[in-house]
mmCIF file of all heavy atoms in Angstrom:
data_model
loop_
_atom_site.group_PDB
_atom_site.id
_atom_site.type_symbol
_atom_site.label_atom_id
_atom_site.label_comp_id
_atom_site.label_asym_id
_atom_site.label_seq_id
_atom_site.Cartn_x
_atom_site.Cartn_y
_atom_site.Cartn_z
ATOM 1 N N ARG A 1 33.048 187.435 43.273
ATOM 2 C CA ARG A 1 33.647 186.042 43.128
ATOM 3 C C ARG A 1 35.119 186.139 43.556
ATOM 4 O O ARG A 1 35.832 187.074 43.057
ATOM 5 C CB ARG A 1 33.572 185.682 41.717
ATOM 6 C CG ARG A 1 32.125 185.619 41.116
ATOM 7 C CD ARG A 1 31.198 184.589 41.940
ATOM 8 N NE ARG A 1 29.821 184.881 41.562
ATOM 9 C CZ ARG A 1 29.199 184.249 40.530
ATOM 10 N NH1 ARG A 1 29.802 183.228 39.817
ATOM 11 N NH2 ARG A 1 27.894 184.504 40.319
ATOM 12 N N ILE A 2 35.523 185.321 44.572
ATOM 13 C CA ILE A 2 36.841 185.400 45.081
ATOM 14 C C ILE A 2 37.496 183.995 44.916
ATOM 15 O O ILE A 2 36.749 183.133 45.555
ATOM 16 C CB ILE A 2 36.820 185.863 46.461
ATOM 17 C CG1 ILE A 2 36.076 187.305 46.537
ATOM 18 C CG2 ILE A 2 38.175 185.964 47.153
ATOM 19 C CD1 ILE A 2 35.930 187.838 47.908
ATOM 20 N N VAL A 3 38.601 183.861 44.395
ATOM 21 C CA VAL A 3 39.334 182.710 44.340
ATOM 22 C C VAL A 3 40.686 182.911 45.057
ATOM 23 O O VAL A 3 41.338 183.923 45.063
ATOM 24 C CB VAL A 3 39.722 182.369 42.862
ATOM 25 C CG1 VAL A 3 40.451 181.081 42.791
ATOM 26 C CG2 VAL A 3 38.325 182.120 42.127
ATOM 27 N N TRP A 4 41.082 181.790 45.772
ATOM 28 C CA TRP A 4 42.335 181.890 46.527
ATOM 29 C C TRP A 4 43.320 180.699 46.490
ATOM 30 O O TRP A 4 42.873 179.596 46.107
ATOM 31 C CB TRP A 4 42.140 182.238 47.842
ATOM 32 C CG TRP A 4 41.266 181.357 48.744
ATOM 33 C CD1 TRP A 4 41.677 180.106 49.368
ATOM 34 C CD2 TRP A 4 39.975 181.549 49.212
ATOM 35 N NE1 TRP A 4 40.681 179.607 50.021
ATOM 36 C CE2 TRP A 4 39.583 180.431 50.045
ATOM 37 C CE3 TRP A 4 39.114 182.587 49.042
ATOM 38 C CZ2 TRP A 4 38.267 180.390 50.532
ATOM 39 C CZ3 TRP A 4 37.830 182.449 49.697
ATOM 40 C CH2 TRP A 4 37.429 181.452 50.401
ATOM 41 N N LEU A 5 44.617 180.985 46.672
ATOM 42 C CA LEU A 5 45.557 179.907 46.805
ATOM 43 C C LEU A 5 46.423 180.149 48.039
ATOM 44 O O LEU A 5 46.940 181.389 48.107
ATOM 45 C CB LEU A 5 46.392 180.003 45.502
ATOM 46 C CG LEU A 5 47.452 178.879 45.415
ATOM 47 C CD1 LEU A 5 46.952 177.495 45.345
ATOM 48 C CD2 LEU A 5 48.332 179.100 44.141
ATOM 49 N N THR A 6 46.498 179.187 48.888
ATOM 50 C CA THR A 6 47.315 179.443 50.146
ATOM 51 C C THR A 6 48.428 178.336 50.170
ATOM 52 O O THR A 6 48.581 177.353 49.411
ATOM 53 C CB THR A 6 46.364 179.085 51.395
ATOM 54 O OG1 THR A 6 46.127 177.664 51.433
ATOM 55 C CG2 THR A 6 45.210 179.981 51.365
ATOM 56 N N PRO A 7 49.555 178.661 50.884
ATOM 57 C CA PRO A 7 50.648 177.666 50.993
ATOM 58 C C PRO A 7 50.162 176.138 51.464
ATOM 59 O O PRO A 7 50.700 175.253 50.948
ATOM 60 C CB PRO A 7 51.443 178.315 52.145
ATOM 61 C CG PRO A 7 51.233 179.804 52.025
ATOM 62 C CD PRO A 7 49.801 179.834 51.641
ATOM 63 N N ALA A 8 49.100 176.126 52.285
ATOM 64 C CA ALA A 8 48.616 174.771 52.787
ATOM 65 C C ALA A 8 48.154 174.048 51.458
ATOM 66 O O ALA A 8 48.213 172.800 51.580
ATOM 67 C CB ALA A 8 47.431 174.961 53.786
ATOM 68 N N MET A 9 47.543 174.706 50.484
ATOM 69 C CA MET A 9 47.210 173.961 49.212
ATOM 70 C C MET A 9 48.220 173.355 48.319
ATOM 71 O O MET A 9 47.784 172.690 47.493
ATOM 72 C CB MET A 9 46.229 175.015 48.499
ATOM 73 C CG MET A 9 44.898 175.338 49.271
ATOM 74 S SD MET A 9 44.194 176.975 48.585
ATOM 75 C CE MET A 9 43.694 176.307 47.038
ATOM 76 N N ASP A 10 49.450 173.949 48.579
ATOM 77 C CA ASP A 10 50.601 173.294 47.902
ATOM 78 C C ASP A 10 50.745 171.742 48.158
ATOM 79 O O ASP A 10 51.266 171.111 47.180
ATOM 80 C CB ASP A 10 51.870 173.960 48.284
ATOM 81 C CG ASP A 10 52.009 175.332 47.898
ATOM 82 O OD1 ASP A 10 51.184 175.882 47.176
ATOM 83 O OD2 ASP A 10 52.951 176.125 48.308
ATOM 84 N N ARG A 11 50.125 171.336 49.168
ATOM 85 C CA ARG A 11 50.281 169.842 49.408
ATOM 86 C C ARG A 11 49.075 169.026 48.973
ATOM 87 O O ARG A 11 49.079 167.860 49.172
ATOM 88 C CB ARG A 11 50.410 169.677 50.834
ATOM 89 C CG ARG A 11 51.703 170.410 51.466
ATOM 90 C CD ARG A 11 51.971 170.058 52.986
ATOM 91 N NE ARG A 11 50.837 170.457 53.862
ATOM 92 C CZ ARG A 11 50.858 171.635 54.343
ATOM 93 N NH1 ARG A 11 51.724 172.530 54.065
ATOM 94 N NH2 ARG A 11 49.727 171.915 55.134
ATOM 95 N N ILE A 12 48.066 169.587 48.324
ATOM 96 C CA ILE A 12 46.879 168.858 48.023
ATOM 97 C C ILE A 12 47.049 167.750 47.048
ATOM 98 O O ILE A 12 46.280 166.752 47.095
ATOM 99 C CB ILE A 12 45.794 169.743 47.453
ATOM 100 C CG1 ILE A 12 46.024 170.267 45.973
ATOM 101 C CG2 ILE A 12 45.445 170.977 48.319
ATOM 102 C CD1 ILE A 12 44.859 170.954 45.382
ATOM 103 N N TRP A 13 48.181 167.624 46.246
ATOM 104 C CA TRP A 13 48.343 166.527 45.284
ATOM 105 C C TRP A 13 48.995 165.452 45.974
ATOM 106 O O TRP A 13 48.970 164.351 45.392
ATOM 107 C CB TRP A 13 49.271 166.988 44.109
ATOM 108 C CG TRP A 13 48.688 168.251 43.423
ATOM 109 C CD1 TRP A 13 49.358 169.407 43.118
ATOM 110 C CD2 TRP A 13 47.446 168.558 42.821
ATOM 111 N NE1 TRP A 13 48.567 170.308 42.465
ATOM 112 C CE2 TRP A 13 47.437 169.714 42.180
ATOM 113 C CE3 TRP A 13 46.304 167.570 42.759
ATOM 114 C CZ2 TRP A 13 46.286 170.185 41.591
ATOM 115 C CZ3 TRP A 13 45.131 168.103 42.043
ATOM 116 C CH2 TRP A 13 45.129 169.466 41.541
ATOM 117 N N THR A 14 49.571 165.628 47.248
ATOM 118 C CA THR A 14 50.294 164.431 47.850
ATOM 119 C C THR A 14 49.482 164.105 49.146
ATOM 120 O O THR A 14 49.951 163.106 49.742
ATOM 121 C CB THR A 14 51.692 164.923 48.180
ATOM 122 O OG1 THR A 14 51.659 166.168 49.099
ATOM 123 C CG2 THR A 14 52.525 165.121 46.962
ATOM 124 N N GLU A 15 48.602 164.880 49.589
ATOM 125 C CA GLU A 15 47.836 164.425 50.832
ATOM 126 C C GLU A 15 46.491 163.879 50.416
ATOM 127 O O GLU A 15 46.265 163.453 49.352
ATOM 128 C CB GLU A 15 47.641 165.681 51.670
ATOM 129 C CG GLU A 15 49.031 166.270 52.212
ATOM 130 C CD GLU A 15 48.779 167.326 53.238
ATOM 131 O OE1 GLU A 15 47.776 168.057 53.334
ATOM 132 O OE2 GLU A 15 49.918 167.550 54.009
ATOM 133 N N GLY A 16 45.649 163.765 51.460
ATOM 134 C CA GLY A 16 44.441 163.015 51.327
ATOM 135 C C GLY A 16 43.351 163.731 50.305
ATOM 136 O O GLY A 16 43.568 164.828 50.030
ATOM 137 N N ALA A 17 42.381 162.996 49.978
ATOM 138 C CA ALA A 17 41.286 163.561 49.017
ATOM 139 C C ALA A 17 40.517 164.660 49.561
ATOM 140 O O ALA A 17 39.998 165.401 48.841
ATOM 141 C CB ALA A 17 40.377 162.398 48.608
ATOM 142 N N ASP A 18 40.415 164.771 50.922
ATOM 143 C CA ASP A 18 39.580 165.749 51.607
ATOM 144 C C ASP A 18 39.993 167.186 51.158
ATOM 145 O O ASP A 18 39.194 168.112 50.805
ATOM 146 C CB ASP A 18 39.770 165.627 53.102
ATOM 147 C CG ASP A 18 38.776 166.544 53.823
ATOM 148 O OD1 ASP A 18 37.555 166.570 53.535
ATOM 149 O OD2 ASP A 18 39.289 167.380 54.605
ATOM 150 N N GLY A 19 41.393 167.491 51.037
ATOM 151 C CA GLY A 19 41.725 168.797 50.698
ATOM 152 C C GLY A 19 41.506 168.985 49.162
ATOM 153 O O GLY A 19 41.111 170.227 48.723
ATOM 154 N N ARG A 20 41.563 168.024 48.366
ATOM 155 C CA ARG A 20 41.249 168.147 46.967
ATOM 156 C C ARG A 20 39.686 168.482 46.741
ATOM 157 O O ARG A 20 39.333 169.217 45.865
ATOM 158 C CB ARG A 20 41.755 167.088 46.173
ATOM 159 C CG ARG A 20 43.204 166.916 45.984
ATOM 160 C CD ARG A 20 43.656 165.775 45.149
ATOM 161 N NE ARG A 20 43.474 164.490 45.684
ATOM 162 C CZ ARG A 20 44.227 163.880 46.577
ATOM 163 N NH1 ARG A 20 45.359 164.467 46.934
ATOM 164 N NH2 ARG A 20 44.007 162.605 46.936
ATOM 165 N N ARG A 21 38.839 167.674 47.456
ATOM 166 C CA ARG A 21 37.455 167.989 47.486
ATOM 167 C C ARG A 21 37.209 169.521 47.853
ATOM 168 O O ARG A 21 36.369 170.167 47.270
ATOM 169 C CB ARG A 21 36.666 167.119 48.328
ATOM 170 C CG ARG A 21 36.468 165.676 47.770
ATOM 171 C CD ARG A 21 35.380 164.963 48.643
ATOM 172 N NE ARG A 21 35.831 164.587 49.906
ATOM 173 C CZ ARG A 21 36.657 163.726 50.428
ATOM 174 N NH1 ARG A 21 37.049 162.726 49.467
ATOM 175 N NH2 ARG A 21 36.919 163.458 51.645
ATOM 176 N N ARG A 22 37.840 169.907 48.989
ATOM 177 C CA ARG A 22 37.522 171.365 49.446
ATOM 178 C C ARG A 22 38.038 172.435 48.289
ATOM 179 O O ARG A 22 37.312 173.445 48.005
ATOM 180 C CB ARG A 22 38.338 171.652 50.665
ATOM 181 C CG ARG A 22 37.714 171.046 51.841
ATOM 182 C CD ARG A 22 38.173 171.713 53.150
ATOM 183 N NE ARG A 22 39.520 171.688 53.280
ATOM 184 C CZ ARG A 22 40.100 170.648 53.947
ATOM 185 N NH1 ARG A 22 39.523 169.717 54.481
ATOM 186 N NH2 ARG A 22 41.477 170.653 54.016
ATOM 187 N N PHE A 23 39.123 172.090 47.653
ATOM 188 C CA PHE A 23 39.610 172.905 46.514
ATOM 189 C C PHE A 23 38.586 172.987 45.535
ATOM 190 O O PHE A 23 38.264 174.083 44.923
ATOM 191 C CB PHE A 23 41.013 172.425 46.100
ATOM 192 C CG PHE A 23 41.681 173.042 44.854
ATOM 193 C CD1 PHE A 23 42.105 174.324 44.919
ATOM 194 C CD2 PHE A 23 41.669 172.310 43.671
ATOM 195 C CE1 PHE A 23 42.630 175.095 43.943
ATOM 196 C CE2 PHE A 23 42.264 172.903 42.553
ATOM 197 C CZ PHE A 23 42.735 174.372 42.754
ATOM 198 N N LEU A 24 38.145 171.728 45.040
ATOM 199 C CA LEU A 24 37.158 171.729 44.024
ATOM 200 C C LEU A 24 35.903 172.412 44.272
ATOM 201 O O LEU A 24 35.133 173.094 43.554
ATOM 202 C CB LEU A 24 36.927 170.268 43.498
ATOM 203 C CG LEU A 24 36.012 170.066 42.329
ATOM 204 C CD1 LEU A 24 36.386 170.825 41.059
ATOM 205 C CD2 LEU A 24 35.893 168.571 41.943
ATOM 206 N N ASP A 25 35.427 172.147 45.542
ATOM 207 C CA ASP A 25 34.133 172.799 46.011
ATOM 208 C C ASP A 25 34.193 174.174 46.057
ATOM 209 O O ASP A 25 33.226 175.003 45.763
ATOM 210 C CB ASP A 25 33.707 172.189 47.479
ATOM 211 C CG ASP A 25 33.126 170.900 47.349
ATOM 212 O OD1 ASP A 25 32.630 170.456 46.226
ATOM 213 O OD2 ASP A 25 33.151 170.084 48.344
ATOM 214 N N ARG A 26 35.442 174.903 46.391
ATOM 215 C CA ARG A 26 35.560 176.275 46.348
ATOM 216 C C ARG A 26 35.327 176.774 44.853
ATOM 217 O O ARG A 26 34.659 177.896 44.544
ATOM 218 C CB ARG A 26 36.836 176.706 46.767
ATOM 219 C CG ARG A 26 37.011 176.828 48.312
ATOM 220 C CD ARG A 26 35.916 177.846 49.001
ATOM 221 N NE ARG A 26 36.011 179.100 48.399
ATOM 222 C CZ ARG A 26 35.199 180.085 48.785
ATOM 223 N NH1 ARG A 26 34.317 179.905 49.839
ATOM 224 N NH2 ARG A 26 35.156 181.307 48.171
ATOM 225 N N ILE A 27 36.071 175.995 43.946
ATOM 226 C CA ILE A 27 35.857 176.405 42.558
ATOM 227 C C ILE A 27 34.496 176.236 42.149
ATOM 228 O O ILE A 27 33.862 177.181 41.438
ATOM 229 C CB ILE A 27 36.773 175.553 41.641
ATOM 230 C CG1 ILE A 27 38.283 175.818 41.948
ATOM 231 C CG2 ILE A 27 36.471 175.635 40.209
ATOM 232 C CD1 ILE A 27 39.238 174.892 41.273
ATOM 233 N N ALA A 28 33.730 175.104 42.542
ATOM 234 C CA ALA A 28 32.353 175.048 42.206
ATOM 235 C C ALA A 28 31.505 176.155 42.636
ATOM 236 O O ALA A 28 30.502 176.694 41.997
ATOM 237 C CB ALA A 28 31.775 173.712 42.608
ATOM 238 N N MET A 29 31.807 176.601 43.981
ATOM 239 C CA MET A 29 31.034 177.583 44.548
ATOM 240 C C MET A 29 31.275 179.002 43.867
ATOM 241 O O MET A 29 30.291 179.849 43.760
ATOM 242 C CB MET A 29 31.380 177.747 46.062
ATOM 243 C CG MET A 29 30.484 178.724 46.849
ATOM 244 S SD MET A 29 31.163 178.895 48.496
ATOM 245 C CE MET A 29 31.526 177.202 49.085
ATOM 246 N N SER A 30 32.473 179.132 43.387
ATOM 247 C CA SER A 30 32.694 180.369 42.518
ATOM 248 C C SER A 30 31.896 180.448 41.252
ATOM 249 O O SER A 30 31.479 181.595 40.738
ATOM 250 C CB SER A 30 34.227 180.438 42.094
ATOM 251 O OG SER A 30 34.667 179.581 41.058
ATOM 252 N N PHE A 31 31.649 179.284 40.621
ATOM 253 C CA PHE A 31 30.680 179.216 39.525
ATOM 254 C C PHE A 31 29.242 179.253 39.824
ATOM 255 O O PHE A 31 28.440 179.861 39.256
ATOM 256 C CB PHE A 31 30.996 177.973 38.677
ATOM 257 C CG PHE A 31 32.323 178.000 38.007
ATOM 258 C CD1 PHE A 31 33.262 176.985 38.184
ATOM 259 C CD2 PHE A 31 32.754 178.995 37.058
ATOM 260 C CE1 PHE A 31 34.448 176.975 37.327
ATOM 261 C CE2 PHE A 31 33.894 178.967 36.360
ATOM 262 C CZ PHE A 31 34.747 178.075 36.546
ATOM 263 N N GLU A 32 28.792 178.474 41.052
ATOM 264 C CA GLU A 32 27.463 178.326 41.367
ATOM 265 C C GLU A 32 27.376 178.619 42.953
ATOM 266 O O GLU A 32 27.597 177.660 43.688
ATOM 267 C CB GLU A 32 27.025 176.999 41.001
ATOM 268 C CG GLU A 32 25.618 176.749 41.491
ATOM 269 C CD GLU A 32 24.623 177.737 41.087
ATOM 270 O OE1 GLU A 32 24.313 177.868 39.891
ATOM 271 O OE2 GLU A 32 24.091 178.457 41.959
ATOM 272 N N PRO A 33 27.132 179.839 43.248
ATOM 273 C CA PRO A 33 27.027 180.112 44.756
ATOM 274 C C PRO A 33 26.161 179.169 45.603
ATOM 275 O O PRO A 33 26.487 178.969 46.719
ATOM 276 C CB PRO A 33 26.545 181.597 44.801
ATOM 277 C CG PRO A 33 26.989 182.175 43.469
ATOM 278 C CD PRO A 33 26.855 181.105 42.518
ATOM 279 N N ASN A 34 25.128 178.634 44.913
ATOM 280 C CA ASN A 34 24.266 177.691 45.692
ATOM 281 C C ASN A 34 24.931 176.375 45.833
ATOM 282 O O ASN A 34 24.329 175.457 46.656
ATOM 283 C CB ASN A 34 22.990 177.467 44.900
ATOM 284 C CG ASN A 34 22.096 178.830 44.969
ATOM 285 O OD1 ASN A 34 22.092 179.583 45.850
ATOM 286 N ND2 ASN A 34 21.359 178.953 43.976
ATOM 287 N N HIS A 35 26.051 176.140 45.384
ATOM 288 C CA HIS A 35 26.774 174.806 45.613
ATOM 289 C C HIS A 35 27.036 174.616 47.106
ATOM 290 O O HIS A 35 26.954 173.507 47.690
ATOM 291 C CB HIS A 35 28.054 174.717 44.933
ATOM 292 C CG HIS A 35 28.930 173.455 45.047
ATOM 293 N ND1 HIS A 35 28.444 172.297 44.622
ATOM 294 C CD2 HIS A 35 30.076 173.297 45.701
ATOM 295 C CE1 HIS A 35 29.423 171.482 44.948
ATOM 296 N NE2 HIS A 35 30.311 172.017 45.595
ATOM 297 N N ALA A 36 27.257 175.732 47.878
ATOM 298 C CA ALA A 36 27.528 175.579 49.236
ATOM 299 C C ALA A 36 26.401 175.077 50.036
ATOM 300 O O ALA A 36 26.577 174.218 50.924
ATOM 301 C CB ALA A 36 27.882 176.959 49.857
ATOM 302 N N GLU A 37 25.181 175.549 49.633
ATOM 303 C CA GLU A 37 23.953 174.989 50.207
ATOM 304 C C GLU A 37 23.843 173.501 49.972
ATOM 305 O O GLU A 37 23.379 172.741 50.760
ATOM 306 C CB GLU A 37 22.734 175.688 49.851
ATOM 307 C CG GLU A 37 22.792 177.243 50.284
ATOM 308 C CD GLU A 37 21.449 177.866 49.883
ATOM 309 O OE1 GLU A 37 20.659 177.281 49.087
ATOM 310 O OE2 GLU A 37 21.446 178.950 50.209
ATOM 311 N N ALA A 38 24.191 172.969 48.776
ATOM 312 C CA ALA A 38 23.924 171.552 48.455
ATOM 313 C C ALA A 38 24.917 170.814 49.238
ATOM 314 O O ALA A 38 24.635 169.702 49.679
ATOM 315 C CB ALA A 38 24.259 171.295 46.960
ATOM 316 N N VAL A 39 26.219 171.258 49.433
ATOM 317 C CA VAL A 39 27.249 170.613 50.283
ATOM 318 C C VAL A 39 26.788 170.474 51.592
ATOM 319 O O VAL A 39 26.768 169.367 52.274
ATOM 320 C CB VAL A 39 28.555 171.200 50.049
ATOM 321 C CG1 VAL A 39 29.412 170.633 51.101
ATOM 322 C CG2 VAL A 39 29.055 171.074 48.680
ATOM 323 N N LEU A 40 26.300 171.612 52.186
ATOM 324 C CA LEU A 40 25.777 171.529 53.676
ATOM 325 C C LEU A 40 24.709 170.595 53.675
ATOM 326 O O LEU A 40 24.536 169.974 54.904
ATOM 327 C CB LEU A 40 25.372 173.093 53.959
ATOM 328 C CG LEU A 40 26.625 173.944 54.196
ATOM 329 C CD1 LEU A 40 26.170 175.409 54.447
ATOM 330 C CD2 LEU A 40 27.451 173.551 55.319
ATOM 331 N N ASP A 41 23.680 170.668 52.893
ATOM 332 C CA ASP A 41 22.482 169.839 52.950
ATOM 333 C C ASP A 41 22.959 168.353 52.973
ATOM 334 O O ASP A 41 22.394 167.458 53.726
ATOM 335 C CB ASP A 41 21.473 170.001 51.819
ATOM 336 C CG ASP A 41 20.788 171.507 51.986
ATOM 337 O OD1 ASP A 41 20.927 171.991 53.123
ATOM 338 O OD2 ASP A 41 20.223 171.838 50.985
#
């Protein structure tokens, strides 16, 4: 299980919802690896 924080993520609270969804989906994937398949499907 790998979790990360990058400088680009510093702006997620002020930019569009797309970045926040990706941030949350990475967290969801860390709890449930099959989440990636559900997103792709």
